[in-house]
Amino acid sequence: MQNTNQLMLKPVCDLLTEKFFIPAYQRGYRWTPRQVRELLEDIAEFQQSAEENPKEQFYCLQPIVVKRHGDEWELVDGQQRLTTLYIILLYLADIAAMMGQPRYSLRFATRPDSEKFLTNIDPARADENIDFYYISQAWETVKAWFEEKQGVYKFTFLTTLLNDAKAGRNVKFIWYQLHESAEATSVFSRLNRGKIPLTNAELVKALFLHANNFTGTGTELSFQQLRMAHEWDDIERRLRQPDFWYFISNANDADQPDNRIELLLKVIADTLPLSVSVHDPYYVFLKFSHYLQSNKSDAQATEHLWARVKRLFMTLNEWFENQQLYHLVGYLIGQKVTIQKLLNLQQSSGSKSAFLAQLRQEILAIALPEAAKAPGQNLRKNIAAAIAGAGYGDKNLRALLLLFNIATILGNDCSSMRFQFRHYKLDTWDIEHISSVSSQMPESTAGQKSWTKNIVEHFSPDETLAVKDERDNSLQTKFYQRASTLLDNEIFNNDEFEKLFNDVQKAFNKNRNKDLENSIGNLTLLDAETNRSYKNAIFPIKRQRIIAADKNATFVPVATRNVFLKYYSRQVHDMTFWHPEDHRHYQTAIIETLTTFFCGALS
């Protein structure tokens, strides 16, 4: 008795002598002419390209899920595809007969009229019921499509469709056979809710756990399968830990795979033979299936392939556990450098120190591409020049500011702090001006009220920042009083708001140097939600928000926190303004930190 699901690739020709029945719980045939034509076009496109490719090449149809019932197969999923293929074979029946090819049968458990109509399609009866209508549409589509082709093309198409494994260049189904104790109706329900794991990962898992892939029997066989299944699940659990997953993956919430091990399988699949389009939805499965089929004479092929998956996982885990590798690799993956490229770098480096140096070289080329082109002896000078010249709008500015955070953490060998790639990848990030350059007044009354409320909260008597100049302190008190009056009025006075807004901008931007506004010394990374919550805010309000976020354990990049706490400023005499000297000290800190980061490793 079969007690596990079985998975294999089957040529269409292997199905021709089979009997299928469509159970009562399934709806009737509903493919549209567009879907029928797309299937024909896909097979035709494969046929044309396959003529110049190795005979091992094949076109893969979506999975069909079946369960054995005596001499018939219950068609749990794949009715639409198998019925469409049946209609195509029916249209080409004369040629198939000349080739000596039979045609599989389709039985409808509760719709005998549809079953009979399918064997003798008459479009004149299309209006008799909904099944007849869609079957007739499909028939007419197939007929019209072949009539557009040259006469001999029917034979060429059918040959490709029905070639066996020996002839190659054929069409195959992913055949997913349920074990005998499986409840077909439950599986069908899960399929239609998108819950059954017919993903690449689960298909590959079924390949690995197939009994034919192991050399033992009985208890020994069960132990081997159980061991591999446990190892698979352990890896999947680790990949579901957010900090580890977002270290190696850039997927957002909407793109999360059902089985995260698929990321590892994709890395391995990219190295396996067989020309398959990377856009094929079953690219990973097809690569693994072809490899195991090609090496079926090797009793250890499955173990060797699974060992590669485990080695890859252990390598990624090792990178995660190491403080330097975690940050350097995490940064590069976040910049879309592939895991395979990083593996190649590690293999070619020969030692851990050489690997770390190679990673820094890759980072330099991404964050400071102009400096990376300079000769080694001029590296320090060129790094400083590239950073000093960076400004708002530069395409690699985000990568540069992110790197400053990474280099700040790695600059302290005693620190165990880790950059939170999970938050960085899941949140939306802005490049924020430290001292606002936008004097655009909020247009809506709601926006004006929000801005005014910020002024009241910041300049309230209990929270007013002490400053050296009593006149400035008095001015802040007046701003508080004017803002409070605006909010207390029954009707919000937009004209008075405009006057307040202009006066505040004038007072807090009096030291502005327009030449420095968009340079790197006035820019930092901030999550979009925090940034946009204080649009057009003056520096002390921005600073207040950053402190509040940090107190509440909201992720604030270390360099962003340091900026608003003025840790980079060498003489802090005023926390209310972002002065030109603060700008220069911050820019100098970036230059010194990144120069040490690169030149300490590369020179």
Side-chain angles (χ1 to χ4, degrees):
M1 178 179 177
Q2 176 201 337
N3 56 14
T4 59
N5 297 335
Q6 294 188 15
L7 177 69
M8 64 193 74
L9 287 167
K10 278 198 173 189
V12 171
C13 64
D14 285 2
L15 275 57
L16 296 180
T17 58
E18 302 291 356
K19 299 176 182 178
F20 298 91
F21 78 90
I22 299 169
Y25 55 74
Q26 294 209 31
R27 67 172 185 167
Y29 180 70
R30 294 295 183 270
W31 261 25
T32 64
R34 178 184 62 80
Q35 291 170 298
V36 174
R37 181 172 284 271
E38 284 177 353
L39 176 60
L40 289 165
E41 294 288 356
D42 287 347
I43 296 174
E45 183 179 349
F46 164 74
Q47 176 268 316
Q48 292 167 6
S49 63
E51 293 175 357
E52 300 177 358
N53 292 325
K55 73 173 186 177
E56 292 80 11
Q57 193 87 0
F58 61 91
Y59 175 75
C60 186
L61 293 165
Q62 301 287 309
I64 57 173
V65 182
V66 296
K67 181 181 177 183
R68 172 67 79 178
H69 278 282
D71 65 343
E72 288 186 309
W73 294 103
E74 179 178 353
L75 193 54
V76 180
D77 187 58
Q79 175 204 168
Q80 309 296 322
R81 290 181 291 279
L82 209 58
T83 303
T84 303
L85 202 60
Y86 182 93
I87 294 170
I88 295 171
L89 292 171
L90 183 65
Y91 180 79
L92 300 174
D94 290 345
I95 300 175
M98 293 171 55
M99 296 169 61
Q101 296 284 18
R103 184 170 64 252
Y104 55 82
S105 65
L106 282 175
R107 180 173 68 84
F108 293 78
T110 57
R111 296 192 298 277
D113 290 343
S114 296
E115 178 184 338
K116 185 176 180 181
F117 183 79
L118 187 60
T119 61
N120 186 23
I121 300 172
D122 181 4
R125 301 176 58 198
D127 295 335
E128 291 184 19
N129 67 49
I130 192 67
D131 279 4
F132 289 11
Y133 172 78
Y134 279 99
I135 291 172
S136 295
Q137 272 200 328
W139 172 267
E140 294 286 8
T141 302
V142 171
K143 178 182 177 184
W145 189 82
F146 277 107
E147 286 177 349
E148 295 171 2
K149 310 296 180 184
Q150 296 180 351
V152 295
Y153 186 72
K154 292 180 181 179
F155 178 81
T156 303
F157 182 94
L158 191 61
T159 300
T160 299
L161 185 61
L162 300 183
N163 271 346
D164 59 18
K166 184 177 180 181
R169 300 188 185 92
N170 54 3
V171 178
K172 297 182 181 182
F173 271 106
I174 297 175
W175 178 270
Y176 196 89
Q177 182 180 343
L178 300 175
H179 59 83
E180 293 183 19
S181 61
E183 178 57 49
T185 54
S186 174
V187 172
F188 175 78
S189 177
R190 292 165 62 203
L191 274 166
N192 280 269
R193 294 199 312 268
K195 300 297 183 182
I196 194 168
L198 282 185
T199 61
N200 276 283
E202 285 299 321
L203 292 172
V204 171
K205 185 178 183 180
L207 281 178
F208 276 137
L209 297 179
H210 197 286
N212 292 342
N213 293 328
F214 299 93
T215 56
T217 58
T219 303
E220 182 184 1
L221 171 61
S222 298
F223 176 77
Q224 290 176 336
Q225 291 173 311
L226 187 62
R227 173 186 55 79
M228 186 177 289
H230 276 310
E231 290 173 344
W232 180 289
D233 292 342
D234 286 343
I235 292 174
E236 182 66 30
R237 276 193 292 272
R238 177 64 165 143
L239 292 171
R240 289 192 173 277
Q241 295 175 5
D243 287 343
F244 185 65
W245 176 246
Y246 289 104
F247 162 63
I248 61 173
S249 168
N250 295 318
N252 56 38
D253 278 342
D255 296 329
Q256 295 301 334
D258 292 332
N259 299 273
R260 296 187 177 181
I261 197 173
E262 191 164 318
L263 185 150
L264 276 60
L265 300 179
K266 169 65 165 55
V267 174
I268 301 294
D270 288 342
T271 67
L272 298 177
L274 182 63
S275 177
V276 180
S277 169
V278 72
H279 302 295
D280 190 301
Y282 290 99
Y283 167 84
V284 172
F285 163 72
L286 294 175
K287 283 294 199 86
F288 274 81
S289 176
H290 179 264
Y291 176 85
L292 292 175
Q293 183 66 25
S294 301
N295 293 274
K296 59 184 178 182
S297 60
D298 180 0
Q300 299 299 317
T302 302
E303 285 286 355
H304 291 159
L305 192 54
W306 176 238
R308 288 189 59 186
V309 177
K310 291 193 293 183
R311 282 197 302 272
L312 172 58
F313 167 73
M314 288 187 288
T315 297
L316 295 175
N317 196 60
E318 179 186 344
W319 291 351
F320 178 83
E321 297 294 343
N322 181 277
Q323 178 77 342
Q324 289 194 72
L325 288 172
Y326 168 81
H327 286 97
L328 301 186
V329 169
Y331 176 88
L332 288 168
I333 289 177
Q335 301 304 312
K336 307 297 190 298
V337 175
T338 66
I339 291 174
Q340 187 59 57
K341 181 173 182 178
L342 297 173
L343 292 169
N344 293 341
L345 282 177
Q346 184 181 49
Q347 186 175 10
S348 63
S349 297
S351 67
K352 181 179 176 181
S353 60
F355 182 40
L356 291 170
Q358 286 281 2
L359 294 177
R360 282 184 166 83
Q361 287 280 17
E362 290 292 322
I363 292 172
L364 180 63
I366 291 171
L368 294 166
E370 293 304 315
K373 299 175 184 177
Q377 61 186 12
N378 295 323
L379 184 58
R380 292 177 180 271
K381 180 174 69 174
N382 282 278
I383 288 175
I387 294 172
Y392 195 80
D394 290 357
K395 65 180 182 180
N396 64 321
L397 183 61
R398 188 183 305 274
L400 181 57
L401 291 173
L402 173 60
L403 177 60
F404 178 48
N405 282 273
I406 300 296
T408 298
I409 294 172
L410 290 180
N412 183 355
D413 293 336
C414 299
S415 174
S416 60
M417 177 186 291
R418 287 196 151 204
F419 187 82
Q420 300 298 307
F421 290 110
R422 170 168 59 107
H423 292 293
Y424 183 76
K425 291 177 180 180
L426 288 180
D427 296 337
T428 302
W429 292 82
D430 289 338
I431 295 174
E432 163 68 346
H433 288 89
I434 300 167
S435 178
S436 177
V437 300
S438 174
S439 59
Q440 182 180 359
M441 187 181 73
E443 295 181 358
S444 69
T445 299
Q448 293 176 0
K449 286 183 177 180
S450 177
W451 190 93
T452 307
K453 185 179 179 181
N454 286 336
I455 295 296
V456 169
E457 290 176 351
H458 180 70
F459 292 135
S460 61
D462 292 335
E463 298 180 21
T464 301
L465 293 171
V467 293
K468 205 170 185 180
D469 191 331
E470 292 183 3
R471 182 177 57 82
D472 282 344
N473 189 47
S474 173
L475 187 62
Q476 293 180 41
T477 301
K478 289 179 180 179
F479 286 152
Y480 166 75
Q481 293 170 344
R482 289 170 64 184
S484 297
T485 301
L486 263 176
L487 292 176
D488 290 341
N489 288 341
E490 187 174 343
I491 299 177
F492 191 81
N493 190 320
N494 301 95
D495 292 335
E496 286 300 318
F497 169 80
E498 184 174 355
K499 293 177 183 177
L500 173 64
F501 180 85
N502 290 333
D503 288 346
V504 170
Q505 291 291 334
K506 182 178 179 180
F508 283 88
N509 291 323
K510 62 184 180 181
N511 294 319
R512 173 180 295 174
N513 183 333
K514 290 193 174 182
D515 292 337
L516 302 179
E517 284 183 352
N518 288 314
S519 65
I520 197 169
N522 192 38
L523 301 170
T524 191
L525 277 180
L526 196 63
D527 69 285
E529 183 177 356
T530 302
N531 184 19
R532 294 164 194 175
S533 71
Y534 56 42
K535 188 174 179 65
N536 298 319
I538 54 180
F539 174 77
I541 292 180
K542 293 182 179 183
R543 179 177 179 276
Q544 185 183 52
R545 292 289 178 85
I546 293 298
I547 293 173
D550 198 39
K551 282 182 179 178
N552 293 328
T554 299
F555 172 61
V556 179
V558 60
T560 300
R561 183 196 64 195
N562 292 350
V563 160
F564 283 100
L565 293 178
K566 288 202 173 186
Y567 286 168
Y568 301 116
S569 301
R570 294 172 187 173
Q571 293 181 341
V572 182
H573 57 83
D574 182 1
M575 300 298 286
T576 304
F577 302 97
W578 184 250
H579 295 285
E581 55 265 34
D582 297 318
H583 174 290
R584 287 193 292 272
H585 294 159
Y586 171 46
Q587 179 172 296
T588 298
I590 297 175
I591 292 173
E592 290 176 349
T593 300
L594 294 187
T595 300
T596 300
F597 175 82
F598 287 117
C599 295
L602 301 180
S603 61

